[in-house]
């Protein structure tokens, strides 16, 4: 493995079109090497996706922390995206569509863009297309509509399901020219409307996964210039934090809201822990013009800008890591028992120290929410 990508050799694993070759790796990496050998050098998309559980098991045997495993799950999903898009482009060329008529960039959104995915995410993606004359719209958008439909269908067939909310590049709402994305952002941020803030929130965590990354950089520039001054939008973004209550009662004790719970001991830590943390950090990041999409980097940047106390940021980083670990452990148990992974955690399975730490972490998130709600 090369020691260059994103400051860690681990992030090189799935950074190229070819899967890593474990030949010559040291014996201490044997669990990962054996997992890759079992997968083979040229798996189908479905085989590569189904293998992800083995990847997680191998990484756990190597004592990687949950936050790093989450990054590598996300990197592997990026690899699946790139493969699905490449296969779709090859298919289109074979059918006479030719090469893409202009540059484009496919984005992952949400936890995938933050490289914080756990097991069994659905698709959240978008597409930026380089500007072109209006008179060529039918021709050019037709090409990219077909590409969006093909690669999202391939991912769905491989086991990464279509987004039920239609947040995918196959739909015009999430497939636009760069100038149209800029105009869309201005519309979304001009007023205090819940639906528009919710849509913008989806877009604000994005990462280029295929194509011309300069288009994504241009969109990030636009976000950094526009949003810190969109005060009505930011006010509504802050008010939406109240829609996801933490898993704490008024006395600060662990307590789920019971909505959709599979049993009385279950707490949805994704909805009542992770999402409030991620949403609050995103809001502060947008307010202060922070560019990285991932939560860990946003917290560091907020400390650098003196928007957060360093000790509080360290506590929030630790909370984020522990929430990921609890959810990943529960998801691995679900897979072993033949269930679909989700965000529920059985509190009865936690030891007393784990419950105390979870309560501590949620209290740290509660303090962050108070900061984020202030204009």
């Amino acid at each position: 493995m090369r020691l260059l990508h994103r400051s860690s050799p681990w992030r090189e694993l799935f950074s190229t079109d070819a899967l890593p070759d474990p030949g010559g790796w040291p014996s201490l990496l044997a669990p990962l090497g054996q997992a890759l050998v079992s997968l083979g050098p040229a798996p189908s998309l479905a085989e590569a996706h189904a293998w992800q559980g083995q990847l997680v098991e191998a990484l756990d045997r190597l004592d990687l922390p949950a936050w790093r495993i989450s990054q590598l799950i996300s990197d592997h999903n990026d690899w699946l995206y790139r493969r699905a898009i490449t296969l779709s482009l090859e298919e289109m060329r074979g059918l006479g569509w030719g090469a893409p008529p202009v540059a484009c960039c496919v984005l992952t959104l949400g936890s995938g863009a933050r490289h914080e995915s756990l097991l069994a995410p659905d698709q959240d993606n978008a597409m930026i297309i380089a500007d072109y004359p209006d008179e060529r719209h039918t021709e050019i958008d037709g090409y990219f509509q077909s590409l969006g439909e093909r690669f999202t269908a391939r991912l769905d067939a491989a086991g990464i399901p279509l987004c039920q909310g239609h947040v995918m590049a196959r739909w015009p709402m999430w497939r636009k020219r760069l100038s149209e994305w800029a105009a869309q952002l201005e519309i979304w941020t001009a007023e205090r409307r819940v639906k528009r803030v919710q849509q913008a929130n989806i877009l604000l965590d994005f990462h280029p996964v295929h194509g011309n990354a300069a288009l994504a950089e241009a969109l990030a520039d636009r976000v950094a210039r526009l949003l810190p001054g969109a005060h009505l939008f930011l006010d509504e973004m802050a008010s939406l934090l109240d829609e996801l209550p933490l898993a704490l009662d008024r006395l600060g004790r662990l307590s789920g809201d019971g909505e959709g719970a599979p049993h009385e001991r279950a707490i949805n830590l994704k909805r009542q822990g992770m999402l409030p943390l991620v949403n609050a950090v995103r809001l502060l990041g947008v307010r202060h013009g922070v560019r990285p999409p991932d939560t860990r980097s946003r917290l560091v940047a907020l400390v650098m800008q003196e928007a957060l106390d360093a000790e509080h940021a360290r506590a929030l980083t630790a909370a984020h890591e522990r929430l990921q670990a609890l959810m990943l452990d529960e998801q691995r148990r679900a897979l072993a028992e033949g269930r679909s992974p989700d965000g529920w955690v059985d509190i009865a399975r936690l030891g007393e120290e784990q419950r105390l730490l979870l309560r501590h972490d949620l209290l740290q998130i509660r303090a962050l929410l108070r900061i984020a709600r202030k204009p």
Side-chain angles (χ1 to χ4, degrees), residues 336-356:
E337 296 173 355
R339 296 183 286 112
S340 297
D342 53 35
W344 292 96
V345 171
D346 187 348
I347 298 301
R349 287 199 179 105
L350 304 184
E352 182 178 358
E353 182 179 353
Q354 286 179 301
R355 289 195 293 271
L356 288 171

Side-chain angles (χ1 to χ4, degrees), residues 265-304:
R265 305 180 309 275
I267 290 179
N268 191 327
L269 279 190
K270 177 179 179 181
R271 182 165 53 84
Q272 291 195 265
M274 183 63 78
L275 287 179
L277 169 58
V278 167
N279 291 349
V281 173
R282 180 193 303 114
L283 170 56
L284 288 173
V286 169
R287 189 178 284 157
H288 293 276
V290 169
R291 293 176 67 99
D294 65 287
T295 304
R296 294 171 64 88
S297 297
R298 278 174 168 160
L299 286 167
V300 171
L302 288 168
V303 172
M304 297 296 291

Side-chain angles (χ1 to χ4, degrees), residues 85-125:
I85 295 166
T86 297
L87 289 171
S88 298
L89 288 168
E90 291 173 354
E91 179 182 61
M92 292 177 70
R93 288 189 182 96
L95 293 172
W97 286 81
V102 296
C104 81
C105 183
V106 176
L107 309 173
T108 53
L109 306 176
S111 62
R114 296 190 304 272
H115 288 91
E116 296 167 4
S117 291
L118 298 177
L119 296 169
D122 64 359
Q123 294 186 48
D124 288 301
N125 53 70

